[in-house]
Amino acid sequence: MNLNPEYREGLDELASHYKSVLSLLGEDTEREGLQKTPMRVAKAMQVLTRGYTQDPHKVLTDALFKEDYNQMVIVKDIDVFSLCEHHMLPFYGKAHVAYIPNGYITGLSKIARVVDIFSHRLQVQERLTQQIRECIEDTLHPLGVMVVIEAKHMCMQMRGVEKQSSITMTSDFSGAFEQAKTVKGQPTIILAHTVKGKGVSFMEDQVGWHGKAPNDEQFEQAMAELTAAGEEL
């Protein structure tokens, strides 16, 4: 019987399979350094996939507060560690989440917990980004949600093309952010840059930022456009 709530049923069977894997790789599973490895790996994998047993929607509703605030709430630089479902190798980086409340806010730590729950599953970065956005949108019903993830993938660093410096960036957005993605017919590019050292992230719009930090006027213009888009919803 599994008395540790951190571990799920099937732990012993999982360890047995990992012992077989080690044998198939040509290792001696009885040598001192590997005797406890199958169980260690089984426990590690259950921790790394604990998100399957957690409900991200409940996390948000457990800390739901009525609040008359309709400006952006941004939680940036959330650590992300996940396993790529293609090779079961880690990818890791930062998530940046913004939403515009529509009568209700949630605890700031709950945003990070939602990221944690979805990342502790076998994932691809594209789906992870989308699932975080959908969860916040479906639960809080805000005026808009935007999620940006930038990550390095060990499946590209340790094997395959072996590119050490490449970073993958994904984004998903809805509501006011979706409306603001085209301004004056020009595409808005979603980035994860810190804006002028203010600890605020996300946007590079049509006014010629081109990867550079915007000046105060450009920044205020972009914020005004997002606020106006939110009020129209």
Side-chain angles (χ1 to χ4, degrees):
M1 180 179 179
N2 180 19
L3 299 179
N4 191 328
E6 186 176 12
Y7 304 121
R8 309 190 292 277
E9 295 297 326
L11 188 64
D12 291 335
E13 184 178 1
L14 189 58
S16 175
H17 286 299
Y18 276 117
K19 185 174 182 179
S20 297
V21 169
L22 289 172
S23 295
L24 290 170
L25 291 174
E27 270 290 358
D28 176 9
T29 59
E30 298 304 318
R31 69 180 177 87
E32 183 180 11
L34 290 180
Q35 287 178 3
K36 297 181 179 180
T37 295
M39 182 56 71
R40 290 192 188 102
V41 177
K43 288 180 177 179
M45 289 302 297
Q46 285 206 350
V47 170
L48 294 173
T49 59
R50 64 175 180 248
Y52 288 121
T53 63
Q54 297 173 326
D55 184 353
H57 298 278
K58 186 175 186 303
V59 166
L60 293 176
T61 57
D62 281 350
L64 195 62
F65 309 103
K66 188 171 180 59
E67 193 68 40
D68 185 21
Y69 180 85
N70 63 354
Q71 303 297 314
M72 274 201 299
V73 177
I74 303 173
V75 184
K76 65 186 291 288
D77 292 334
I78 303 169
D79 289 324
V80 173
F81 298 94
S82 191
L83 290 176
C84 170
E85 66 182 30
H86 298 147
H87 300 95
M88 293 182 67
L89 289 172
F91 65 91
Y92 60 95
K94 301 288 185 181
H96 316 285
V97 180
Y99 76 99
I100 303 174
N102 186 20
Y104 290 90
I105 62 173
T106 189
L108 296 177
S109 68
K110 307 308 179 185
I111 300 295
R113 288 187 183 278
V114 168
V115 173
D116 188 69
I117 288 172
F118 282 115
S119 63
H120 279 73
R121 302 176 182 183
L122 298 182
Q123 282 286 8
V124 295
Q125 185 175 328
E126 297 88 341
R127 184 173 67 239
L128 173 61
T129 307
Q130 186 176 40
Q131 286 178 335
I132 295 168
R133 193 269 303 164
E134 288 176 343
C135 178
I136 295 171
E137 184 174 12
D138 294 345
T139 308
L140 300 183
H141 306 292
L143 296 176
V145 184
M146 179 159 59
V147 179
V148 176
I149 297 178
E150 46 188 343
K152 291 188 173 185
H153 291 248
M154 298 298 284
C155 60
M156 288 182 63
Q157 294 179 306
M158 295 178 63
R159 57 162 299 283
V161 294
E162 296 184 354
K163 300 304 180 186
Q164 307 304 312
S165 301
S166 64
I167 297 175
T168 299
M169 182 175 291
T170 50
S171 64
D172 196 18
F173 41 92
S174 65
F177 297 105
E178 177 75 21
Q179 285 193 0
K181 83 178 174 181
T182 55
V183 182
K184 299 178 182 177
Q186 300 298 320
T188 295
I189 303 169
I190 305 304
L191 295 175
H193 284 263
T194 299
V195 178
K196 294 186 69 61
K198 296 179 180 179
V200 180
S201 293
F202 296 119
M203 291 175 304
E204 174 183 347
D205 80 355
Q206 87 288 353
V207 273
W209 297 6
H210 302 303
K212 301 176 182 178
N215 59 38
D216 288 332
E217 181 180 355
Q218 291 171 332
F219 176 73
E220 294 301 332
Q221 177 184 342
M223 294 300 104
E225 288 167 353
L226 274 178
T227 300
E231 290 173 351
E232 292 174 3
L233 294 180

